[in-house]
Amino acid sequence: MLLTVQNLSVNNILSNINLTVDQNETVTIFGPSGSGKSTLLKALARLENHVSGEINLLDKPATSYPIGRYRQLVSYAVQSANLFGQTVRDNLDLPFNVRQKSIDEDLQKTMLAAVDLDLTFLDKQVADLSGGQRQRVAVLRNLIFPPKILLLDEITTGLDATTKQVVWHFINEEQSKHHFAILSVTHDQQEIQNAKKTLQVIGGNLDD
Amino acid sequence: MINKTVEISNLSLGLAFVMVVISLVISYQQKLGLEKETLISVARAIVQLIVVGYLLRFVFHVNNLVLTITMMAFILFNASYNGEKRARGISHSLRISFIALLLGGGTTMLLLVLTGAIKPVPWQLVPVTGMVMNNAMIAVGLVYRSLGQMYTDQKNQVFERLALGANPKEASGDIIKQAIKFGMQPTIDSIKTLGLVSLPGMMSGLIMAGVEPVLAIKYQIMVTFMILSSTALSSVYASYAAYKRFFDENWVLQLPKDK
């Protein structure tokens, strides 16, 4: 099993969550606002404090991985990304830097093209991007080096239909190549209807 | 060491208290509510300065190395303690301030003595320590304040980097460097206008006490150099040591609550 979660609780937000996720699987998570969906993803990425219970990645406890390495494997894509630094390049360089790898500009450009952003975007100022462009760059950061699990926190909220399609097409293509699992939190009715596997979070509890 | 001494009579000093009264009247008339604070701070300053004056006279008179070093250590500790007060909840800030000031101030003092710019005698070591530490303390305080401000303002960007597997240093982006710059900036700014706008306290004091202006300027140039080196070293250490305190052991950003 890729990921097993047992009795995961976070402060007063989540209580006793159990779930398993397999390679190549896509799980759509939905539920009312404030029910703890986002907290669940952050806890899985080890970005939350006051977490109890057990998370196992590839049959090893999450805590047995160095924290930085773990977050590279369980990659969390933030809701309404701000992006950091000055340019798009700063954002696409970081995945290389944290892995101490030399920067592959060709790969960066190929990835940009895959989400309909031409190569001039590499040196564009972050502040000059639209919300949709920003979100596409944000997801690229998670996928330049394919993770084991991709955690998507309402990443298509506020995007127009075409951009949504571009983003999902890209993610699905990458998944079919690299077989990572996806846990996607969404409010989008269409995404929920099309989902193969869904989890509903209500008041901090899972409701299959 | 001084060519001709200029005496301020107690009467003149007493009459100069009129200047305090001016500030009190302004506070009262403008309803600033600063009367009590002004009186307390003036009283404190007078008592502190009298005590320090006699203490310095004693230390200079005895001319004992241990006593001189104790006096310097006392200044270092006080400056560290004041640096900590400006840390607004950054953990271990007393230790960070102490090491930063010891490093910045200590290295500078050592260089001054080794180059022969000052002699290892109490009436040179003690006042110079005070000047060096005071500037380094202000710089360290500014480093703390700017770190706190930048981590608060940029918490989303820091979080995004952490989520991609960055360690605290990588997740901080430019923050560490910017904080060092904030710590050093006032020193550099004040140096730019030196002599044009500001006639620094030390130089003015020496000239008023009857020292040849050219000699006073030499000392002032030395003070400028030593303040530059002590603020630079202290700011660098404080920033690199304090940024780690904004993250817990799980590499999650922890903003200190304002005290």
Side-chain angles (χ1 to χ4, degrees), chain B:
Chain B
M1 61 184 170
I2 287 167
N3 307 337
K4 47 183 177 179
T5 43
V6 179
E7 185 78 34
I8 304 180
S9 73
N10 290 338
L11 179 67
S12 316
L13 200 57
L15 289 174
F17 191 75
V18 172
M19 292 179 269
V20 177
V21 176
I22 292 175
S23 116
L24 288 174
V25 169
I26 290 174
S27 172
Y28 177 76
Q29 208 189 24
Q30 297 290 319
K31 298 189 172 64
L32 304 179
L34 292 172
E35 298 95 300
K36 198 176 151 197
E37 210 184 320
T38 307
L39 277 174
I40 291 174
S41 20
V42 167
R44 262 189 69 164
I46 293 171
V47 172
Q48 280 168 205
L49 288 172
I50 290 174
V51 170
V52 169
Y54 278 98
L55 191 65
L56 286 178
R57 188 156 86 167
F58 174 68
V59 172
F60 295 171
H61 181 73
V62 174
N63 193 3
N64 171 299
L65 189 67
V66 177
L67 194 61
T68 307
I69 291 174
T70 310
M71 191 74 192
M72 289 162 74
F74 176 74
I75 296 173
L76 169 63
F77 185 79
N78 264 330
S80 312
Y81 178 70
N82 270 286
E84 189 217 5
K85 281 204 290 193
R86 294 158 203 227
R88 297 154 192 252
I90 299 172
S91 65
H92 297 96
S93 55
L94 182 60
R95 197 174 69 196
I96 297 171
S97 310
F98 184 83
I99 299 174
L101 296 177
L102 186 65
L103 182 78
T107 311
T108 305
M109 293 301 293
L110 200 67
L111 278 173
L112 287 171
V113 173
L114 288 180
T115 55
I118 62 169
K119 290 182 190 67
V121 290
W123 55 88
Q124 296 214 336
L125 286 179
V126 175
V128 171
T129 304
M131 267 190 286
V132 168
M133 291 299 171
N134 181 48
N135 282 281
M137 174 186 83
I138 292 169
V140 167
L142 285 171
V143 168
Y144 290 150
R145 197 168 76 182
S146 50
L147 281 176
Q149 190 64 49
M150 286 189 283
Y151 278 114
T152 306
D153 292 348
Q154 300 179 33
K155 65 171 189 280
N156 291 329
Q157 286 91 330
V158 173
F159 178 78
E160 287 182 25
R161 291 191 186 96
L162 289 171
L164 293 168
N167 63 31
K169 186 161 175 272
E170 291 161 335
S172 301
D174 278 343
I175 291 176
I176 303 167
K177 221 167 56 188
Q178 287 297 330
I180 298 171
K181 226 173 125 177
F182 275 117
M184 294 178 62
Q185 199 67 58
T187 305
I188 294 167
D189 286 344
S190 70
I191 288 172
K192 278 185 211 154
T193 56
L194 216 55
L196 296 175
V197 180
S198 62
L199 288 176
M202 183 199 188
M203 195 172 108
S204 313
L206 285 175
I207 294 173
M208 279 167 70
V211 170
E212 174 67 28
V214 176
L215 184 61
I217 279 164
K218 271 193 192 168
Y219 270 102
Q220 188 53 51
I221 291 173
M222 181 191 80
V223 168
T224 306
F225 291 170
M226 75 197 195
I227 287 172
L228 256 182
S229 88
S230 62
T231 52
L233 284 168
S234 301
S235 301
V236 168
Y237 178 81
S239 193
Y240 275 96
Y243 89 84
K244 295 177 190 150
R245 302 291 156 205
F246 287 84
F247 299 86
D248 66 11
E249 69 281 7
N250 294 317
W251 294 4
V252 175
L253 184 64
Q254 298 285 304
L255 292 174
K257 287 167 188 66
D258 269 15
K259 276 183 179 170

Side-chain angles (χ1 to χ4, degrees), chain A residues 14-27:
Chain A
L14 288 176
S15 54
N16 296 316
I17 304 282
N18 294 293
L19 66 94
T20 56
V21 182
D22 238 334
Q23 219 187 355
N24 223 8
E25 200 171 28
T26 301
V27 182

Side-chain angles (χ1 to χ4, degrees), chain A residues 49 67 71 82-84 141, chain B residues 160 162 248 250-251 254:
Chain A
N49 275 325
I67 183 81
R71 287 178 188 158
N82 284 284
L83 304 188
F84 46 74
R141 302 181 302 194
Chain B
E160 287 182 25
L162 289 171
D248 66 11
N250 294 317
W251 294 4
Q254 298 285 304

